[in-house]
Amino acid sequence: MVSDDSRKVTIATIARMAGVSVPTVSRVVNGRSDVSAQTRERVEELLARHGYRRRPPSMRASSGLIDLVFNDLDSPWAVEIIRGVEDVAHAAGIGTVVSAIHRRTSAAKQWLDNLRTRSTEGVIFVTSTLEPPLQAELRRLNIPVVIVDPAGVPPQEAPTIGATNWAGSLRATEYLLGLGHRRIGFIAGLPQLMCSRARLDGYRTALESAGVPVDDRLIYPGNFYHEAGFAGGSHLLRLSEPPTAIFASSDQMALGVYEAVRQRGLRVPDDISVVGFDDLPEVRWCSPPLTTVRQPLAEMGLLAARTVLRLAHGERVESPRIELATELVVRDSAARAA
């Protein structure tokens, strides 16, 4: 809805009074049917009490948008999440606004300023930390929030979507142990992300359960990108006792390890086995095709979009934390230890 100075209150004010989201009030104002009778009655009563005047139907604006917010967009991982969100948005006849805030306060502030100018159904944050001021403003605007792979402890009221990272990492490490590897390098992800910590814990648990001591010299701090995989692979291969296998906690880092192996005149998997995590589309086409843990990225985006729309419609979410299953996809990048 386009605001009018003659109105005594705004949609946001009515939403706060009714205890619903801004999109819900917008639906009532626009005469849409996807609002429960009880909610519609409460909102209509408040609109009438405060003298809110509707614009004619020809001048009404649609509120059909989902905001999808990343820290960065320079990864095929992000494209898979977007694909899942877009599938739901398209089916619902609404649009998707994709933003990257690049972990900068100024970019987050600009995004929030832009958000106030449009009527969004809800916001999906990906690998993000919701700082208290941002949480407070979204709460004030009554905008539903869902978080995919949160960094740190998410707000209590925000549902989160993820994958079984611990189980996937455990399975990948057990697979390498089953091939006879005992010195298994691990390239970790960003330490502030819950998914990164779960993958490191899964790796450690698999080694400990097999009676293999965890050697911290074989653990390299990464960030999920190719460069970190290359740096980590180069570092591990320079050790006086290098690993016979490297488990990179993202496919991009695994491909960086491929390059580190190539530059040392070695071959995957003849000289060293490599396993990744994500199952991005391109890893089945690299040489050799990468063995990796598949996490259902598009499905995670799809579920996040469905959840945020349910919240926008005033429905309850059964579980505040949903984890989708991972699975090990065996290809040609890991072989038996010599």
Side-chain angles (χ1 to χ4, degrees):
M1 289 294 296
V2 180
S3 182
D4 187 319
D5 291 337
S6 66
R7 294 193 178 109
K8 297 180 181 179
V9 292
T10 65
I11 286 179
T13 305
I14 296 294
R16 285 197 301 276
M17 291 177 178
V20 299
S21 68
V22 171
T24 297
V25 177
S26 181
R27 290 190 195 93
V28 174
V29 170
N30 285 284
R32 286 171 53 176
S33 61
D34 50 348
V35 181
S36 69
Q38 184 180 6
T39 299
R40 182 182 301 280
E41 183 179 349
R42 183 165 70 253
V43 171
E44 289 283 12
E45 190 274 328
L46 287 167
L47 291 170
R49 184 196 309 170
H50 293 279
Y52 189 95
R53 293 192 304 167
R54 292 171 167 83
R55 282 197 180 272
S58 61
M59 299 179 67
R60 291 179 186 169
S62 171
S63 65
L65 292 173
I66 293 176
D67 269 82
L68 179 57
V69 182
F70 294 86
N71 286 317
D72 298 290
L73 280 171
D74 53 353
S75 166
W77 183 91
V79 173
E80 292 299 298
I81 297 286
I82 293 171
R83 188 162 62 85
V85 173
E86 272 288 290
D87 284 349
V88 173
H90 178 75
I94 61 179
T96 306
V97 179
V98 180
S99 305
I101 57 177
H102 305 293
R103 298 185 177 86
R104 295 197 306 264
T105 303
S106 59
K109 182 179 181 303
Q110 182 181 10
W111 171 80
L112 190 56
D113 289 341
N114 293 336
L115 184 72
R116 294 189 187 100
T117 67
R118 58 180 177 266
S119 181
T120 186
E121 302 281 345
V123 182
I124 300 170
F125 289 99
V126 184
T127 62
S128 299
T129 301
L130 266 65
E131 300 296 339
L134 181 57
Q135 290 181 38
E137 181 61 10
L138 291 170
R139 198 176 295 119
R140 188 186 72 81
L141 295 171
N142 282 301
I143 295 177
V145 170
V146 174
I147 308 174
V148 175
D149 275 343
V153 180
Q156 198 168 19
E157 68 274 15
T160 62
I161 310 294
T164 53
N165 291 285
W166 181 88
S169 182
L170 178 83
R171 178 72 186 91
T173 310
E174 288 178 337
Y175 175 70
L176 290 171
L177 289 165
L179 291 175
H181 297 281
R182 292 298 178 267
R183 289 187 60 76
I184 302 171
F186 183 80
I187 305 179
L190 291 165
Q192 66 267 32
L193 296 181
M194 293 173 64
C195 61
S196 298
R197 297 197 294 270
R199 292 174 199 178
L200 178 57
D201 287 346
Y203 161 81
R204 288 179 175 274
T205 300
L207 292 178
E208 290 166 355
S209 297
V212 177
V214 176
D215 186 347
D216 288 336
R217 292 171 298 179
L218 295 179
I219 300 174
Y220 186 88
N223 61 7
F224 292 144
Y225 291 99
H226 294 96
E227 295 82 2
F230 176 76
S234 300
H235 169 79
L236 292 170
L237 292 171
R238 284 196 301 266
L239 294 175
S240 57
E241 291 184 75
T244 60
I246 296 176
F247 176 21
S249 55
S250 81
D251 285 350
Q252 287 184 277
M253 292 197 299
L255 296 181
V257 173
Y258 270 35
E259 179 59 14
V261 171
R262 187 193 69 81
Q263 289 194 14
R264 291 186 68 83
L266 303 174
R267 297 180 63 184
V268 176
D270 301 21
D271 302 300
I272 185 162
S273 293
V274 179
V275 173
F277 201 112
D278 284 331
D279 196 25
L280 298 176
E282 60 265 35
V283 300
R284 73 191 65 179
W285 303 111
C286 62
S287 182
L290 180 68
T291 292
T292 186
V293 177
R294 180 184 184 270
Q295 63 167 336
L297 296 170
E299 291 91 332
M300 288 161 62
L302 183 146
L303 184 56
R306 285 180 176 168
T307 302
V308 86
L309 289 180
R310 288 186 62 187
L311 293 172
H313 293 169
E315 300 176 28
R316 294 180 62 84
V317 177
E318 291 81 5
S319 174
R321 171 68 178 173
I322 299 174
E323 290 190 346
L324 301 182
T326 54
E327 64 174 314
L328 183 68
V329 181
V330 176
R331 297 193 180 102
D332 302 328
S333 63
R336 288 205 163 272

